[in-house]
């Protein structure tokens, strides 16, 4: 039964990708190089997710975007497509060794004046950024998701959108055998906290590995 379910999921995923607009040449080459040269390429956003992020950004037309977890820059490039004139995306990545590939493709995408890459620990860097965020994408260490949320919710603009990736964690959040897994516990706590927070409206999109979409409502 599980094998059949997994097969159906793969078939649906393939169908969805076949019916999603093609990614740009820059994104395609970034995807290929990441898979060929970088460890843990599974962390990379796929074409479907990248298109979703780009469309959300275009709908929000944000002046300021914050991304936690750059990896090789695929999602940052997608998000930056929707920036308003004069807008800026700040993205924070812990691994300095990824700088060359990140900057290479940001340059090739023509976005060097729209994306500011910061390297270091997001928990240290976020408090130093004196910005109000229109759109936030969290795709960093899962242990700190709730900490990131609490750091950022007061800096999220009214009706601003926060997206948190991997909130289904390969179905582990509903798997009782994962009750001792630290990442799973942290994500469950994050999801439960958001569900109870009256400052926001939220929903989990059962898309890829799950995206929590959060809108900060007016007071």
């Amino acid at each position: 039964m599980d094998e059949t379910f997994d097969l159906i999921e793969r078939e649906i995923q393939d169908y969805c990708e076949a019916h999603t607009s093609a990614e740009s040449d820059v994104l395609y080459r970034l995807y290929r190089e990441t898979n060929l040269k970088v460890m843990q390429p599974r962390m990379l956003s796929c074409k479907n997710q990248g298109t979703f992020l780009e469309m959300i950004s275009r709908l929000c037309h944000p002046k300021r975007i914050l991304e936690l977890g750059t990896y090789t820059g695929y999602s940052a490039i997608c998000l930056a497509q929707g920036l308003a004139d004069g807008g800026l995306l700040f993205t924070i990545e812990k691994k300095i060794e990824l700088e060359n590939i990140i900057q290479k493709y940001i340059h090739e995408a023509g976005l060097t004046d729209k994306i500011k890459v910061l390297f270091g620990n997001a928990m240290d860097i976020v408090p130093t950024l004196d910005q109000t965020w229109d759109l936030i994408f969290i795709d960093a260490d899962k242990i700190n998701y709730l900490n990131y949320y609490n750091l950022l919710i007061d800096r999220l603009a009214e009706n601003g959108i926060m997206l948190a990736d991997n909130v289904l964690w390969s179905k582990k959040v509903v798997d009782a055998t994962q009750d001792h897994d630290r990442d799973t516990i942290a994500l469950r706590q994050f999801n439960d906290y958001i569900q109870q927070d009256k400052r926001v409206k939220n929903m989990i999109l059962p898309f890829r590995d799950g995206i929590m979409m959060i809108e900060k409502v007016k007071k």
Side-chain angles (χ1 to χ4, degrees), residues 8-139:
I8 292 171
E9 284 193 333
R10 287 196 297 273
E11 289 174 347
I12 292 297
Q13 178 69 19
D14 290 343
Y15 185 86
C16 290
E17 288 196 9
H19 292 80
T20 297
S21 297
E23 62 196 338
S24 68
D25 177 66
V26 169
L27 288 173
Y28 174 76
R29 287 187 286 105
L30 171 54
Y31 186 89
R32 289 280 298 159
E33 184 168 345
T34 301
N35 276 274
L36 288 170
K37 298 180 180 179
V38 183
M39 292 183 64
Q40 296 180 303
R42 188 169 179 266
M43 293 171 60
L44 188 70
S45 292
C46 65
K47 180 182 78 169
N48 283 11
Q49 185 177 28
T51 303
F52 169 76
L53 294 174
E54 178 180 341
M55 293 177 75
I56 288 292
S57 184
R58 290 189 186 278
L59 287 168
C60 294
H61 204 48
K63 289 286 289 185
R64 289 291 182 269
I65 302 174
L66 176 65
E67 177 185 52
L68 306 185
T70 316
Y71 192 46
T72 56
Y74 192 106
S75 53
I77 291 172
C78 293
L79 287 164
Q81 302 302 321
L83 280 167
D85 291 343
L88 191 62
L89 182 151
F90 292 75
T91 182
I92 302 173
E93 173 55 46
K94 190 173 183 178
K95 297 179 180 178
I96 188 68
E97 60 267 26
L98 296 175
E99 182 174 15
N100 287 342
I101 189 170
I102 293 169
Q103 298 292 3
K104 171 185 174 181
Y105 284 98
I106 288 175
H107 173 74
E108 291 188 16
L111 294 168
T112 52
D113 61 336
K114 292 187 175 182
I115 298 177
K116 184 176 180 61
V117 186
L118 306 172
F119 291 95
N121 188 316
M123 287 296 295
D124 297 329
I125 295 173
V126 167
T128 71
L129 301 177
D130 186 18
Q131 303 283 340
T132 296
W133 308 105
D134 303 302
L135 180 59
I136 297 171
F137 181 47
I138 301 176
D139 189 16

Side-chain angles (χ1 to χ4, degrees), residues 89-202:
L89 182 151
F90 292 75
T91 182
I92 302 173
E93 173 55 46
K94 190 173 183 178
K95 297 179 180 178
I96 188 68
E97 60 267 26
L98 296 175
E99 182 174 15
N100 287 342
I101 189 170
I102 293 169
Q103 298 292 3
K104 171 185 174 181
Y105 284 98
I106 288 175
H107 173 74
E108 291 188 16
L111 294 168
T112 52
D113 61 336
K114 292 187 175 182
I115 298 177
K116 184 176 180 61
V117 186
L118 306 172
F119 291 95
N121 188 316
M123 287 296 295
D124 297 329
I125 295 173
V126 167
T128 71
L129 301 177
D130 186 18
Q131 303 283 340
T132 296
W133 308 105
D134 303 302
L135 180 59
I136 297 171
F137 181 47
I138 301 176
D139 189 16
D141 54 312
K142 312 313 165 189
I143 292 296
N144 276 312
Y145 265 34
L146 188 52
N147 291 328
Y148 294 139
Y149 179 79
N150 286 324
L151 276 176
L152 289 166
I153 188 61
D154 290 336
R155 293 291 182 90
L156 183 64
E158 286 190 354
N159 299 122
I161 297 293
M162 185 184 297
L163 304 169
D165 199 12
N166 305 116
V167 295
L168 297 181
W169 206 228
S170 300
K171 308 177 193 175
K172 292 179 183 178
V173 291
V174 293
D175 184 349
T177 68
Q178 300 296 320
D179 287 351
H180 301 291
D181 178 73
R182 293 178 67 233
D183 289 328
T184 302
I185 293 168
L187 287 168
R188 288 174 181 166
Q189 290 173 342
F190 172 78
N191 293 337
D192 290 344
Y193 186 92
I194 303 304
Q195 182 64 23
Q196 302 300 321
D197 192 341
K198 302 302 182 185
R199 296 171 292 181
V200 302
K201 293 185 69 173
N202 63 285

